[in-house]
Amino acid sequence: MEESRLPPGQYVPRGRPVIHYGRVPQFKPESWDFRIFGATASGEEHSFSWPEFEQLPHTDVLADFHCVTKFSLMGNEWRGVSPSVLLAAVPPDAGVRHVMIWAEYGYSANLRMSDLAAPTTLFATELDDKPLSPDRGFPLRIVVPHLYAWKSVKWVRGIEYLIEDRRGFWEERGYHNVADPWREQRYSYQEEPGEGPP
Ligand SMILES: Nc1nc2c(c(=O)[nH]1)N[C@H]1C(S)=C(S)[C@@H](COP(=O)(O)O)O[C@H]1N2
Ligand SMILES: [Mo]
């Protein structure tokens, strides 16, 4: 393993840990939807059914991911829908600089628009050539490999376009609003002016 691939303070564990807060939700394809709402350009929200979402073009991303508890999972082969596809299908208002990613049970994480639009951010449906397992987010998770993994929300159900930034689940509980592992942005007390909502 090249050391340069591991951000400061991280290690590669034995095995591939699975972690999340709360229970694994059950996927119900008939009632599942993916909503894009908030500050859309049209003022309307849009929702995709599971068959509609599955038909969107898929691409591959090879990336590592880094949990703030210090383990890193290296070389994950994700397949899924690029955020650029969704941003083109349901354009945000010109003033949108942030988004909230929403999941089952109300889990959420906020991202800067630039982090959502980054080339390795993906709405993943597959890991290593198989559909995601239930505990890794089946049927859909976002992966944001360049930020700490609490931002890689499992069981995703939607995107809320935000004009003003707002903190998500862990960001409200003392974790850093931006969460760059290369800069060890772990906790909110490390935030510099402009890195979090006022
Ligand atoms: N919906 C949801 N997504 C979540 C979490 C969670 O509690 N709920 N935990 C996050 C955290 S802290 C980590 S480290 C990764 C773990 O992903 P893994 O279980 O695939 O290793 O999922 C993230 N996504
Ligand atoms: Mo984590």
mmCIF file of all heavy atoms in Angstrom, residues 89-131:
data_model
loop_
_atom_site.group_PDB
_atom_site.id
_atom_site.type_symbol
_atom_site.label_atom_id
_atom_site.label_comp_id
_atom_site.label_asym_id
_atom_site.label_seq_id
_atom_site.Cartn_x
_atom_site.Cartn_y
_atom_site.Cartn_z
ATOM 1 N N ALA A 89 -30.709 16.599 -14.761
ATOM 2 C CA ALA A 89 -32.131 16.236 -14.858
ATOM 3 C C ALA A 89 -33.005 17.200 -14.059
ATOM 4 O O ALA A 89 -34.118 17.534 -14.481
ATOM 5 C CB ALA A 89 -32.334 14.800 -14.360
ATOM 6 N N VAL A 90 -32.500 17.621 -12.897
ATOM 7 C CA VAL A 90 -33.264 18.519 -12.025
ATOM 8 C C VAL A 90 -32.332 19.645 -11.589
ATOM 9 O O VAL A 90 -31.733 19.603 -10.510
ATOM 10 C CB VAL A 90 -33.814 17.759 -10.788
ATOM 11 C CG1 VAL A 90 -34.750 18.651 -9.987
ATOM 12 C CG2 VAL A 90 -34.510 16.469 -11.194
ATOM 13 N N PRO A 91 -32.179 20.658 -12.431
ATOM 14 C CA PRO A 91 -31.185 21.696 -12.127
ATOM 15 C C PRO A 91 -31.528 22.489 -10.866
ATOM 16 O O PRO A 91 -32.698 22.770 -10.596
ATOM 17 C CB PRO A 91 -31.233 22.615 -13.352
ATOM 18 C CG PRO A 91 -31.935 21.846 -14.422
ATOM 19 C CD PRO A 91 -32.851 20.877 -13.719
ATOM 20 N N PRO A 92 -30.482 22.829 -10.111
ATOM 21 C CA PRO A 92 -30.676 23.686 -8.939
ATOM 22 C C PRO A 92 -30.824 25.151 -9.353
ATOM 23 O O PRO A 92 -30.352 25.548 -10.418
ATOM 24 C CB PRO A 92 -29.382 23.489 -8.150
ATOM 25 C CG PRO A 92 -28.355 23.088 -9.160
ATOM 26 C CD PRO A 92 -29.090 22.371 -10.260
ATOM 27 N N ASP A 93 -31.439 25.919 -8.492
ATOM 28 C CA ASP A 93 -31.450 27.374 -8.637
ATOM 29 C C ASP A 93 -29.997 27.884 -8.667
ATOM 30 O O ASP A 93 -29.119 27.283 -8.060
ATOM 31 C CB ASP A 93 -32.195 27.955 -7.423
ATOM 32 C CG ASP A 93 -32.319 29.461 -7.489
ATOM 33 O OD1 ASP A 93 -31.396 30.162 -7.011
ATOM 34 O OD2 ASP A 93 -33.333 29.928 -8.027
ATOM 35 N N ALA A 94 -29.794 28.995 -9.372
ATOM 36 C CA ALA A 94 -28.426 29.534 -9.516
ATOM 37 C C ALA A 94 -27.771 29.872 -8.175
ATOM 38 O O ALA A 94 -26.545 29.895 -8.073
ATOM 39 C CB ALA A 94 -28.454 30.768 -10.410
ATOM 40 N N GLY A 95 -28.571 30.107 -7.133
ATOM 41 C CA GLY A 95 -28.005 30.474 -5.828
ATOM 42 C C GLY A 95 -27.623 29.289 -4.948
ATOM 43 O O GLY A 95 -27.146 29.485 -3.827
ATOM 44 N N VAL A 96 -27.806 28.068 -5.427
ATOM 45 C CA VAL A 96 -27.550 26.889 -4.581
ATOM 46 C C VAL A 96 -26.055 26.619 -4.462
ATOM 47 O O VAL A 96 -25.373 26.405 -5.463
ATOM 48 C CB VAL A 96 -28.284 25.645 -5.140
ATOM 49 C CG1 VAL A 96 -27.874 24.388 -4.371
ATOM 50 C CG2 VAL A 96 -29.787 25.838 -5.071
ATOM 51 N N ARG A 97 -25.536 26.632 -3.232
ATOM 52 C CA ARG A 97 -24.112 26.360 -2.984
ATOM 53 C C ARG A 97 -23.913 25.123 -2.114
ATOM 54 O O ARG A 97 -22.796 24.667 -1.936
ATOM 55 C CB ARG A 97 -23.456 27.550 -2.262
ATOM 56 C CG ARG A 97 -23.425 28.834 -3.063
ATOM 57 C CD ARG A 97 -22.358 28.802 -4.161
ATOM 58 N NE ARG A 97 -22.432 30.000 -4.980
ATOM 59 C CZ ARG A 97 -23.262 30.165 -6.016
ATOM 60 N NH1 ARG A 97 -24.072 29.179 -6.386
ATOM 61 N NH2 ARG A 97 -23.297 31.296 -6.680
ATOM 62 N N HIS A 98 -24.998 24.597 -1.543
ATOM 63 C CA HIS A 98 -24.914 23.483 -0.595
ATOM 64 C C HIS A 98 -26.074 22.525 -0.854
ATOM 65 O O HIS A 98 -27.080 22.916 -1.450
ATOM 66 C CB HIS A 98 -24.995 23.993 0.848
ATOM 67 C CG HIS A 98 -23.936 24.993 1.182
ATOM 68 N ND1 HIS A 98 -22.717 24.637 1.703
ATOM 69 C CD2 HIS A 98 -23.903 26.347 1.036
ATOM 70 C CE1 HIS A 98 -21.981 25.729 1.861
ATOM 71 N NE2 HIS A 98 -22.679 26.771 1.472
ATOM 72 N N VAL A 99 -25.920 21.296 -0.384
ATOM 73 C CA VAL A 99 -27.030 20.340 -0.443
ATOM 74 C C VAL A 99 -27.085 19.567 0.868
ATOM 75 O O VAL A 99 -26.082 19.458 1.586
ATOM 76 C CB VAL A 99 -26.870 19.321 -1.597
ATOM 77 C CG1 VAL A 99 -26.941 20.010 -2.957
ATOM 78 C CG2 VAL A 99 -25.596 18.504 -1.476
ATOM 79 N N MET A 100 -28.266 19.032 1.146
ATOM 80 C CA MET A 100 -28.426 18.063 2.227
ATOM 81 C C MET A 100 -28.763 16.738 1.549
ATOM 82 O O MET A 100 -29.658 16.676 0.697
ATOM 83 C CB MET A 100 -29.564 18.475 3.165
ATOM 84 C CG MET A 100 -29.625 17.655 4.436
ATOM 85 S SD MET A 100 -28.246 18.024 5.547
ATOM 86 C CE MET A 100 -28.779 19.582 6.242
ATOM 87 N N ILE A 101 -28.019 15.696 1.926
ATOM 88 C CA ILE A 101 -28.309 14.354 1.435
ATOM 89 C C ILE A 101 -29.150 13.682 2.517
ATOM 90 O O ILE A 101 -28.742 13.646 3.685
ATOM 91 C CB ILE A 101 -26.997 13.558 1.206
ATOM 92 C CG1 ILE A 101 -26.042 14.322 0.263
ATOM 93 C CG2 ILE A 101 -27.297 12.159 0.678
ATOM 94 C CD1 ILE A 101 -26.572 14.580 -1.123
ATOM 95 N N TRP A 102 -30.316 13.172 2.136
ATOM 96 C CA TRP A 102 -31.255 12.588 3.104
ATOM 97 C C TRP A 102 -31.346 11.075 2.937
ATOM 98 O O TRP A 102 -31.314 10.568 1.817
ATOM 99 C CB TRP A 102 -32.650 13.179 2.898
ATOM 100 C CG TRP A 102 -32.778 14.588 3.389
ATOM 101 C CD1 TRP A 102 -32.768 15.725 2.641
ATOM 102 C CD2 TRP A 102 -32.941 15.006 4.756
ATOM 103 N NE1 TRP A 102 -32.915 16.830 3.449
ATOM 104 C CE2 TRP A 102 -33.025 16.416 4.747
ATOM 105 C CE3 TRP A 102 -33.023 14.322 5.974
ATOM 106 C CZ2 TRP A 102 -33.187 17.155 5.924
ATOM 107 C CZ3 TRP A 102 -33.183 15.060 7.136
ATOM 108 C CH2 TRP A 102 -33.264 16.464 7.105
ATOM 109 N N ALA A 103 -31.493 10.370 4.060
ATOM 110 C CA ALA A 103 -31.590 8.915 4.040
ATOM 111 C C ALA A 103 -32.783 8.444 4.853
ATOM 112 O O ALA A 103 -33.448 9.229 5.539
ATOM 113 C CB ALA A 103 -30.321 8.298 4.609
ATOM 114 N N GLU A 104 -33.007 7.145 4.807
ATOM 115 C CA GLU A 104 -34.006 6.497 5.661
ATOM 116 C C GLU A 104 -33.795 6.922 7.115
ATOM 117 O O GLU A 104 -32.662 7.160 7.539
ATOM 118 C CB GLU A 104 -33.856 4.975 5.588
ATOM 119 C CG GLU A 104 -33.996 4.392 4.187
ATOM 120 C CD GLU A 104 -35.427 4.374 3.649
ATOM 121 O OE1 GLU A 104 -36.370 4.683 4.416
ATOM 122 O OE2 GLU A 104 -35.589 4.070 2.451
ATOM 123 N N TYR A 105 -34.870 6.967 7.868
ATOM 124 C CA TYR A 105 -34.871 7.293 9.305
ATOM 125 C C TYR A 105 -34.382 8.710 9.593
ATOM 126 O O TYR A 105 -34.010 9.027 10.730
ATOM 127 C CB TYR A 105 -33.991 6.321 10.125
ATOM 128 C CG TYR A 105 -34.320 4.854 10.020
ATOM 129 C CD1 TYR A 105 -33.300 3.901 10.027
ATOM 130 C CD2 TYR A 105 -35.642 4.404 9.937
ATOM 131 C CE1 TYR A 105 -33.580 2.541 9.967
ATOM 132 C CE2 TYR A 105 -35.930 3.050 9.857
ATOM 133 C CZ TYR A 105 -34.902 2.117 9.873
ATOM 134 O OH TYR A 105 -35.170 0.785 9.809
ATOM 135 N N GLY A 106 -34.309 9.573 8.551
ATOM 136 C CA GLY A 106 -33.931 10.951 8.800
ATOM 137 C C GLY A 106 -32.439 11.226 8.952
ATOM 138 O O GLY A 106 -32.045 12.342 9.281
ATOM 139 N N TYR A 107 -31.577 10.205 8.721
ATOM 140 C CA TYR A 107 -30.123 10.484 8.713
ATOM 141 C C TYR A 107 -29.830 11.460 7.577
ATOM 142 O O TYR A 107 -30.451 11.391 6.517
ATOM 143 C CB TYR A 107 -29.342 9.183 8.508
ATOM 144 C CG TYR A 107 -27.826 9.324 8.588
ATOM 145 C CD1 TYR A 107 -27.148 9.137 9.793
ATOM 146 C CD2 TYR A 107 -27.060 9.620 7.454
ATOM 147 C CE1 TYR A 107 -25.763 9.244 9.869
ATOM 148 C CE2 TYR A 107 -25.671 9.731 7.521
ATOM 149 C CZ TYR A 107 -25.035 9.530 8.733
ATOM 150 O OH TYR A 107 -23.663 9.629 8.806
ATOM 151 N N SER A 108 -28.873 12.339 7.791
ATOM 152 C CA SER A 108 -28.565 13.333 6.765
ATOM 153 C C SER A 108 -27.107 13.746 6.871
ATOM 154 O O SER A 108 -26.464 13.562 7.911
ATOM 155 C CB SER A 108 -29.455 14.561 6.943
ATOM 156 O OG SER A 108 -29.201 15.145 8.207
ATOM 157 N N ALA A 109 -26.592 14.283 5.788
ATOM 158 C CA ALA A 109 -25.258 14.897 5.797
ATOM 159 C C ALA A 109 -25.278 16.029 4.792
ATOM 160 O O ALA A 109 -25.833 15.877 3.695
ATOM 161 C CB ALA A 109 -24.175 13.885 5.442
ATOM 162 N N ASN A 110 -24.685 17.156 5.177
ATOM 163 C CA ASN A 110 -24.623 18.276 4.229
ATOM 164 C C ASN A 110 -23.304 18.257 3.473
ATOM 165 O O ASN A 110 -22.281 17.789 3.977
ATOM 166 C CB ASN A 110 -24.864 19.623 4.928
ATOM 167 C CG ASN A 110 -23.905 19.912 6.074
ATOM 168 O OD1 ASN A 110 -23.538 19.027 6.841
ATOM 169 N ND2 ASN A 110 -23.486 21.155 6.183
ATOM 170 N N LEU A 111 -23.356 18.745 2.252
ATOM 171 C CA LEU A 111 -22.180 18.827 1.371
ATOM 172 C C LEU A 111 -22.186 20.183 0.699
ATOM 173 O O LEU A 111 -23.251 20.733 0.395
ATOM 174 C CB LEU A 111 -22.273 17.785 0.247
ATOM 175 C CG LEU A 111 -22.252 16.306 0.600
ATOM 176 C CD1 LEU A 111 -22.538 15.491 -0.658
ATOM 177 C CD2 LEU A 111 -20.897 15.924 1.185
ATOM 178 N N ARG A 112 -20.992 20.671 0.397
ATOM 179 C CA ARG A 112 -20.917 21.821 -0.499
ATOM 180 C C ARG A 112 -21.263 21.325 -1.903
ATOM 181 O O ARG A 112 -20.959 20.170 -2.257
ATOM 182 C CB ARG A 112 -19.507 22.409 -0.481
ATOM 183 C CG ARG A 112 -19.119 22.927 0.907
ATOM 184 C CD ARG A 112 -17.708 23.454 0.941
ATOM 185 N NE ARG A 112 -16.754 22.401 0.622
ATOM 186 C CZ ARG A 112 -15.447 22.497 0.849
ATOM 187 N NH1 ARG A 112 -14.941 23.588 1.382
ATOM 188 N NH2 ARG A 112 -14.645 21.510 0.541
ATOM 189 N N MET A 113 -21.871 22.176 -2.714
ATOM 190 C CA MET A 113 -22.182 21.783 -4.084
ATOM 191 C C MET A 113 -20.931 21.288 -4.813
ATOM 192 O O MET A 113 -20.973 20.317 -5.561
ATOM 193 C CB MET A 113 -22.829 22.965 -4.820
ATOM 194 C CG MET A 113 -23.251 22.663 -6.225
ATOM 195 S SD MET A 113 -24.322 21.213 -6.379
ATOM 196 C CE MET A 113 -25.921 21.983 -6.279
ATOM 197 N N SER A 114 -19.795 21.924 -4.540
ATOM 198 C CA SER A 114 -18.553 21.515 -5.204
ATOM 199 C C SER A 114 -18.141 20.090 -4.808
ATOM 200 O O SER A 114 -17.536 19.370 -5.610
ATOM 201 C CB SER A 114 -17.433 22.500 -4.882
ATOM 202 O OG SER A 114 -17.298 22.627 -3.480
ATOM 203 N N ASP A 115 -18.472 19.652 -3.595
ATOM 204 C CA ASP A 115 -18.166 18.276 -3.184
ATOM 205 C C ASP A 115 -19.145 17.282 -3.802
ATOM 206 O O ASP A 115 -18.776 16.157 -4.142
ATOM 207 C CB ASP A 115 -18.177 18.157 -1.657
ATOM 208 C CG ASP A 115 -17.002 18.908 -1.022
ATOM 209 O OD1 ASP A 115 -15.881 18.797 -1.539
ATOM 210 O OD2 ASP A 115 -17.230 19.615 -0.020
ATOM 211 N N LEU A 116 -20.417 17.701 -3.946
ATOM 212 C CA LEU A 116 -21.376 16.835 -4.641
ATOM 213 C C LEU A 116 -20.957 16.653 -6.101
ATOM 214 O O LEU A 116 -21.025 15.546 -6.641
ATOM 215 C CB LEU A 116 -22.787 17.439 -4.576
ATOM 216 C CG LEU A 116 -23.868 16.645 -5.318
ATOM 217 C CD1 LEU A 116 -24.144 15.313 -4.620
ATOM 218 C CD2 LEU A 116 -25.162 17.449 -5.448
ATOM 219 N N ALA A 117 -20.517 17.738 -6.729
ATOM 220 C CA ALA A 117 -20.186 17.707 -8.163
ATOM 221 C C ALA A 117 -18.778 17.184 -8.452
ATOM 222 O O ALA A 117 -18.391 17.074 -9.618
ATOM 223 C CB ALA A 117 -20.359 19.112 -8.752
ATOM 224 N N ALA A 118 -18.017 16.832 -7.409
ATOM 225 C CA ALA A 118 -16.646 16.337 -7.618
ATOM 226 C C ALA A 118 -16.670 15.055 -8.471
ATOM 227 O O ALA A 118 -17.611 14.271 -8.376
ATOM 228 C CB ALA A 118 -15.990 16.068 -6.267
ATOM 229 N N PRO A 119 -15.650 14.824 -9.280
ATOM 230 C CA PRO A 119 -15.684 13.713 -10.238
ATOM 231 C C PRO A 119 -15.754 12.313 -9.609
ATOM 232 O O PRO A 119 -16.199 11.380 -10.279
ATOM 233 C CB PRO A 119 -14.400 13.872 -11.061
ATOM 234 C CG PRO A 119 -13.554 14.845 -10.320
ATOM 235 C CD PRO A 119 -14.456 15.666 -9.455
ATOM 236 N N THR A 120 -15.330 12.154 -8.344
ATOM 237 C CA THR A 120 -15.402 10.815 -7.746
ATOM 238 C C THR A 120 -16.595 10.652 -6.800
ATOM 239 O O THR A 120 -16.726 9.619 -6.144
ATOM 240 C CB THR A 120 -14.104 10.460 -6.991
ATOM 241 O OG1 THR A 120 -13.848 11.480 -6.035
ATOM 242 C CG2 THR A 120 -12.928 10.347 -7.946
ATOM 243 N N THR A 121 -17.465 11.643 -6.728
ATOM 244 C CA THR A 121 -18.692 11.476 -5.938
ATOM 245 C C THR A 121 -19.699 10.700 -6.789
ATOM 246 O O THR A 121 -19.825 10.937 -7.984
ATOM 247 C CB THR A 121 -19.246 12.848 -5.515
ATOM 248 O OG1 THR A 121 -18.275 13.507 -4.701
ATOM 249 C CG2 THR A 121 -20.541 12.708 -4.729
ATOM 250 N N LEU A 122 -20.385 9.733 -6.161
ATOM 251 C CA LEU A 122 -21.253 8.838 -6.925
ATOM 252 C C LEU A 122 -22.443 8.392 -6.074
ATOM 253 O O LEU A 122 -22.285 8.168 -4.868
ATOM 254 C CB LEU A 122 -20.426 7.600 -7.310
ATOM 255 C CG LEU A 122 -21.036 6.626 -8.314
ATOM 256 C CD1 LEU A 122 -21.063 7.265 -9.716
ATOM 257 C CD2 LEU A 122 -20.232 5.319 -8.369
ATOM 258 N N PHE A 123 -23.610 8.234 -6.695
ATOM 259 C CA PHE A 123 -24.741 7.555 -6.052
ATOM 260 C C PHE A 123 -24.630 6.088 -6.430
ATOM 261 O O PHE A 123 -24.973 5.691 -7.541
ATOM 262 C CB PHE A 123 -26.071 8.179 -6.482
ATOM 263 C CG PHE A 123 -26.309 9.509 -5.837
ATOM 264 C CD1 PHE A 123 -25.917 10.683 -6.459
ATOM 265 C CD2 PHE A 123 -26.879 9.598 -4.581
ATOM 266 C CE1 PHE A 123 -26.106 11.925 -5.850
ATOM 267 C CE2 PHE A 123 -27.072 10.831 -3.951
ATOM 268 C CZ PHE A 123 -26.687 11.984 -4.588
ATOM 269 N N ALA A 124 -24.080 5.296 -5.511
ATOM 270 C CA ALA A 124 -23.666 3.934 -5.837
ATOM 271 C C ALA A 124 -24.797 2.931 -5.625
ATOM 272 O O ALA A 124 -25.490 2.965 -4.604
ATOM 273 C CB ALA A 124 -22.465 3.542 -4.990
ATOM 274 N N THR A 125 -24.932 2.038 -6.598
ATOM 275 C CA THR A 125 -25.865 0.917 -6.487
ATOM 276 C C THR A 125 -25.115 -0.410 -6.355
ATOM 277 O O THR A 125 -25.709 -1.416 -5.981
ATOM 278 C CB THR A 125 -26.789 0.838 -7.716
ATOM 279 O OG1 THR A 125 -25.976 0.743 -8.893
ATOM 280 C CG2 THR A 125 -27.673 2.075 -7.831
ATOM 281 N N GLU A 126 -23.817 -0.406 -6.720
ATOM 282 C CA GLU A 126 -23.021 -1.638 -6.680
ATOM 283 C C GLU A 126 -21.659 -1.384 -6.049
ATOM 284 O O GLU A 126 -21.098 -0.298 -6.197
ATOM 285 C CB GLU A 126 -22.751 -2.160 -8.103
ATOM 286 C CG GLU A 126 -23.968 -2.688 -8.798
ATOM 287 C CD GLU A 126 -23.650 -3.198 -10.210
ATOM 288 O OE1 GLU A 126 -22.506 -3.651 -10.453
ATOM 289 O OE2 GLU A 126 -24.552 -3.110 -11.058
ATOM 290 N N LEU A 127 -21.156 -2.412 -5.365
ATOM 291 C CA LEU A 127 -19.792 -2.413 -4.837
ATOM 292 C C LEU A 127 -19.136 -3.714 -5.286
ATOM 293 O O LEU A 127 -19.707 -4.796 -5.074
ATOM 294 C CB LEU A 127 -19.826 -2.323 -3.309
ATOM 295 C CG LEU A 127 -18.484 -2.493 -2.582
ATOM 296 C CD1 LEU A 127 -17.468 -1.445 -3.006
ATOM 297 C CD2 LEU A 127 -18.690 -2.456 -1.062
ATOM 298 N N ASP A 128 -17.972 -3.606 -5.900
ATOM 299 C CA ASP A 128 -17.223 -4.777 -6.356
ATOM 300 C C ASP A 128 -18.097 -5.725 -7.187
ATOM 301 O O ASP A 128 -18.155 -6.934 -6.932
ATOM 302 C CB ASP A 128 -16.565 -5.497 -5.165
ATOM 303 C CG ASP A 128 -15.567 -4.585 -4.440
ATOM 304 O OD1 ASP A 128 -15.006 -3.676 -5.080
ATOM 305 O OD2 ASP A 128 -15.358 -4.768 -3.223
ATOM 306 N N ASP A 129 -18.804 -5.152 -8.165
ATOM 307 C CA ASP A 129 -19.594 -5.911 -9.151
ATOM 308 C C ASP A 129 -20.836 -6.611 -8.606
ATOM 309 O O ASP A 129 -21.409 -7.453 -9.289
ATOM 310 C CB ASP A 129 -18.719 -6.953 -9.889
ATOM 311 C CG ASP A 129 -17.803 -6.276 -10.889
ATOM 312 O OD1 ASP A 129 -18.249 -5.280 -11.507
ATOM 313 O OD2 ASP A 129 -16.641 -6.721 -11.019
ATOM 314 N N LYS A 130 -21.246 -6.260 -7.393
ATOM 315 C CA LYS A 130 -22.483 -6.826 -6.847
ATOM 316 C C LYS A 130 -23.354 -5.694 -6.320
ATOM 317 O O LYS A 130 -22.829 -4.666 -5.892
ATOM 318 C CB LYS A 130 -22.164 -7.793 -5.694
ATOM 319 C CG LYS A 130 -21.431 -9.060 -6.140
ATOM 320 C CD LYS A 130 -21.147 -9.980 -4.975
ATOM 321 C CE LYS A 130 -20.078 -9.461 -4.034
ATOM 322 N NZ LYS A 130 -18.695 -9.479 -4.578
ATOM 323 N N PRO A 131 -24.678 -5.900 -6.332
ATOM 324 C CA PRO A 131 -25.526 -4.883 -5.701
ATOM 325 C C PRO A 131 -25.025 -4.656 -4.269
ATOM 326 O O PRO A 131 -24.491 -5.578 -3.653
ATOM 327 C CB PRO A 131 -26.916 -5.531 -5.680
ATOM 328 C CG PRO A 131 -26.883 -6.598 -6.714
ATOM 329 C CD PRO A 131 -25.444 -7.058 -6.828
#
